[in-house]
Amino acid sequence: MDSERPHLQATLAALGQQGSRQAIATPAAVLDLDAFEANVALMAQRAKAAGLALRPHAKSHKCAWVARQQIAAGAVGVCCAKLAEAEALADAGIDGILVTSPIAGPAPAARAAALAARLSDFRIVLDHPDAAAELGAAATSKIQVLIDVDVGLGRTGVSGPRQALAVAEAIAAQPHLTLLGLQGYGGHWQHMAGAGARAAAVAEGMERLTAARAALSQAGFDIEVVTGGGTGTFATDAALGVLTEAQPGSYAFMDREYREALGDDPDGAFAQSLTVEATVISANHPQWVTVDAGLKAFSTDGPLPQPLTAKFEGCGYRFFGDEHGRLARPEAEVRRGERIAFAPGHIDPTLDRYDVLHLVRGEVLEAIVPIEARGASQ
Amino acid sequence: MDSERPHLQATLAALGQQGSRQAIATPAAVLDLDAFEANVALMAQRAKAAGLALRPHAKSHKCAWVARQQIAAGAVGVCCAKLAEAEALADAGIDGILVTSPIAGPAPAARAAALAARLSDFRIVLDHPDAAAELGAAATSKIQVLIDVDVGLGRTGVSGPRQALAVAEAIAAQPHLTLLGLQGYGGHWQHMAGAGARAAAVAEGMERLTAARAALSQAGFDIEVVTGGGTGTFATDAALGVLTEAQPGSYAFMDREYREALGDDPDGAFAQSLTVEATVISANHPQWVTVDAGLKAFSTDGPLPQPLTAKFEGCGYRFFGDEHGRLARPEAEVRRGERIAFAPGHIDPTLDRYDVLHLVRGEVLEAIVPIEARGASQ
């Protein structure tokens, strides 16, 4: 359906003719390849140096092309937040997928079983004995599972060693299920300002993972994999040595939220590779101009979008309805049709608004790739 | 691309087998047909009684099936916020389209000209003399245009009668352009609480439209159409008699923002027909349960999603990351797998997250229709 869209056809036609970034119909998700490649290489190098397996989280990008770049740079596979995300990426040829959210009910269990049957390496977390029973009943082949441990967020995961043991026993009762390890993800830690504050919070959470691991080992369960962590806690995750596998996502793109929280910390050493490009469509007002990117073009949960185009640096953006934004006028005159690149406030819900990613190098539009799992939150 | 998505295929397969609302993979946009049909009929009746042409705004739904229901009930066509939205709906067979945002530059002008050439009734607004020159240069056939007048929002539109005249003259200089009338839209009025407050604000804004119209008439320009208004100001728009055409969008679906602002006002007489359905995927925490609908499943700019399912009424929802929400526990026990319907905070950016609309009547899933213009903000 997406590939038939006229605005995309127009951009593709323009690409054939011009290959210029200026030909991209706005608002659009634009990826600066130089910055992106540097980010991907840097995280791969940090993971290698730390002895951590790198499994980037695809919920940030939902794009098979991005996943392939990450895997080519050394990642062992990707994480997916939801089954539909995993299905869409599997359809696009990605293997080595860990689903990081628990599921509930026989229909999702059947979909997980189908993924396990078609991929060479599929993994999924669970946090309740009933989930093991559901998945075991749906399984038609071996399914690798991990126990999700609540490390303090209270979102998903077993509450402690006792519940971890109950889930491990329920897994052991299912002939098709193999317990591979544990997951502990502290989403709330990722954007804490200050490397010290993040490190202290992570250390406390990691104790919960260590306790669950110890209880399971004592009961005879082998724990091969301990997976978790994100862009904001990578340095601490690496230093603590509890995790065997890291799940960062945003590092490949960055956003205003991360840049402001991480600042000059070691975890903030990534460049803003992803911008949303917009166009001035009205400039009649004396104090501001109106751009074609509003509530539907950006995340709206984090900081406001930030203009990066030099002429508009420091000009405040405000949402101006579903389809528009208002940008304070810079000193220089602004004309209808001028283009502005914005750093989004929060990368994941921003990219999930777009059907395609425009790959640019400088002013050259090199390719347009589909964001296959956009909207695939089911 | 969308039609090949596995989670959708799974739902469609389940539909073939079961036809049950319970088979819908969540999170999902679910439309209650009884409520929707009542909303569509009520607005059609109110417009007819007021002697206003009804041109519902498709930026709320982006869906050809919905547009067809509205047109079948008496609407003269639809509004689209952007060219890509119009292109997607035109591809799906919708005619009678007014693009309500100005555009800038030769590439969008060429796309507008192409729409004008293929539709029997295409209209677009402009708010600058240069826009008339761009559109005139791109035109290959007659294009109907309206002058967008700023009625106080300061987002788009000419600033007053003098600029309106300059644009009208620029239009008259283009042989392919026909000036049809004026547009004045006060987005900021729609959610004001209290019918009296909305009426006073609208009256002031409508004076600007009247002034622009008078100046143009005096200069010999015929003004056939005056279009604007929304769900929140319909009663006042009808009473003032300035508009000849109304552009409401949210009335067909409603959201928490409108319901709280409009309350028992005459403009609030519409039912919540659209809900986002979610599933409890983890219930280990003593104080809350975790559902599979988060920042990517809802708008995040307006009020928080509100659970409508009886068991969870009054339970507070909070965003819990990209893919999850946390819902305070009700008194009754909650199990993994339970389903909950939520009223979204703000309908337009919510529906723009979903590829399909699930049409239900009671517990029966009657059909799944594509949201063709989802993400088409270009």
Side-chain angles (χ1 to χ4, degrees), chain A residues 304-376:
Chain A
L304 288 168
Q306 180 181 22
L308 298 182
T309 301
K311 178 176 176 179
F312 297 89
E313 246 178 272
C315 296
Y317 172 96
R318 284 179 58 178
F319 289 110
F320 219 178
D322 295 328
E323 305 281 359
H324 300 100
R326 102 182 194 193
L327 189 63
R329 281 185 179 275
E331 281 188 26
E333 198 199 345
V334 183
R335 296 176 64 85
R336 297 166 54 255
E338 288 193 44
R339 298 166 76 96
I340 302 158
F342 289 89
H346 181 186
I347 188 67
D348 301 22
T350 299
L351 267 181
D352 196 47
R353 290 258 180 221
Y354 292 93
D355 293 317
V356 297
L357 203 51
H358 300 82
L359 311 183
V360 303
R361 209 176 291 275
E363 286 303 305
V364 178
L365 175 58
E366 291 201 350
I368 301 176
V369 295
I371 300 179
E372 292 90 345
R374 193 224 69 76

Side-chain angles (χ1 to χ4, degrees), chain B residues 168-208:
Chain B
E169 279 155 17
I171 292 167
Q174 297 297 330
H176 279 111
L177 303 191
T178 306
L179 175 60
L180 213 58
L182 303 177
Q183 173 181 269
Y185 177 67
H188 53 318
W189 303 330
Q190 301 304 321
H191 298 98
M192 283 183 179
R198 287 199 302 285
V202 172
E204 197 184 317
M206 287 297 120
E207 282 175 19
R208 295 181 183 227

Side-chain angles (χ1 to χ4, degrees), chain A residues 1 5 27 59 82 127 154-155 157 163 282 284 288 290 292 296 300 320 322 336 348 374 378, chain B residues 1 5 27 59 82 127 134 154-155 157 163 282 284 288 290 292 296 300 320 322 348 372 374 378:
Chain A
M1 189 185 302
R5 290 195 168 172
K59 78 181 173 71
K82 301 288 187 73
D127 71 354
R155 187 165 70 189
Q163 203 180 6
S282 190
N284 291 336
W288 56 71
T290 298
D292 59 358
K296 291 177 182 165
T300 61
F320 219 178
D322 295 328
R336 297 166 54 255
D348 301 22
R374 193 224 69 76
Q378 292 75 21
Chain B
M1 189 186 300
R5 289 195 166 171
K59 78 181 172 72
K82 300 287 186 74
D127 71 355
E134 287 163 3
R155 188 166 69 190
Q163 203 180 7
S282 190
N284 291 338
W288 56 71
T290 298
D292 58 358
K296 290 178 183 165
T300 60
F320 219 177
D322 295 328
D348 301 23
E372 292 90 344
R374 193 225 69 74
Q378 292 72 21

Side-chain angles (χ1 to χ4, degrees), chain B residues 141-236:
Chain B
S141 59
K142 187 182 128 182
I143 306 181
Q144 308 175 107
V145 299
L146 295 94
I147 300 173
D148 186 33
V149 178
D150 180 8
V151 290
L153 180 56
R155 188 166 69 190
T156 62
V158 296
S159 55
R162 194 168 144 180
Q163 203 180 7
L165 271 174
V167 177
E169 279 155 17
I171 292 167
Q174 297 297 330
H176 279 111
L177 303 191
T178 306
L179 175 60
L180 213 58
L182 303 177
Q183 173 181 269
Y185 177 67
H188 53 318
W189 303 330
Q190 301 304 321
H191 298 98
M192 283 183 179
R198 287 199 302 285
V202 172
E204 197 184 317
M206 287 297 120
E207 282 175 19
R208 295 181 183 227
L209 263 184
T210 305
R213 181 183 191 143
L216 291 172
S217 296
Q218 209 175 348
F221 294 102
D222 254 5
I223 300 302
E224 230 181 274
V225 175
V226 184
T227 186
T231 294
T233 57
F234 190 88
T236 303

Side-chain angles (χ1 to χ4, degrees), chain A residues 1-7 10 25-28 59-60 62 81-82 84-85 87-88 91 101-105 111 118 127-128 130-131 134 150 153-159 163 279-285 288 290 292-293 295-296 298-301 320-324 335-337 346 348-350 352-355 370-378, chain B residues 1-7 10 25-28 59-60 62 81-82 84-85 87-88 91 101-105 111 118 127-128 130-131 134 150 153-159 163 279-285 288 290 292-293 295-296 298-301 320-324 335-337 346 348-350 352-355 370-378:
Chain A
M1 189 185 302
D2 294 341
S3 52
E4 294 161 15
R5 290 195 168 172
H7 72 271
T26 61
K59 78 181 173 71
S60 294
K62 301 198 165 234
K82 301 288 187 73
E85 197 173 299
E87 290 164 340
D91 282 354
S101 303
I103 56 174
R111 288 165 58 204
R118 66 191 274 216
D127 71 354
H128 197 278
D130 291 353
E134 287 163 4
D150 179 8
L153 179 57
R155 187 165 70 189
T156 63
V158 296
S159 55
Q163 203 180 6
T279 301
V280 175
I281 57 103
S282 190
N284 291 336
H285 200 277
W288 56 71
T290 298
D292 59 358
L295 297 171
K296 291 177 182 165
F298 294 107
S299 64
T300 61
D301 58 293
F320 219 178
D322 295 328
E323 305 281 359
H324 300 100
R335 296 176 64 85
R336 297 166 54 255
H346 181 186
D348 301 22
T350 299
D352 196 47
R353 290 258 180 221
Y354 292 93
D355 293 317
I371 300 179
E372 292 90 345
R374 193 224 69 76
S377 288
Q378 292 75 21
Chain B
M1 189 186 300
D2 295 342
S3 54
E4 293 160 16
R5 289 195 166 171
H7 72 270
T26 62
K59 78 181 172 72
S60 294
K62 301 197 165 234
K82 300 287 186 74
E85 197 173 299
E87 290 164 339
D91 282 354
S101 303
I103 56 175
R111 288 165 59 204
R118 66 192 272 217
D127 71 355
H128 197 278
D130 291 352
E134 287 163 3
D150 180 8
L153 180 56
R155 188 166 69 190
T156 62
V158 296
S159 55
Q163 203 180 7
T279 301
V280 175
I281 57 103
S282 190
N284 291 338
H285 200 276
W288 56 71
T290 298
D292 58 358
L295 296 172
K296 290 178 183 165
F298 294 107
S299 64
T300 60
D301 57 293
F320 219 177
D322 295 328
E323 306 282 0
H324 300 99
R335 295 175 65 84
R336 295 167 55 257
H346 181 187
D348 301 23
T350 298
D352 196 48
R353 289 259 180 221
Y354 292 94
D355 292 316
I371 300 179
E372 292 90 344
R374 193 225 69 74
S377 288
Q378 292 72 21

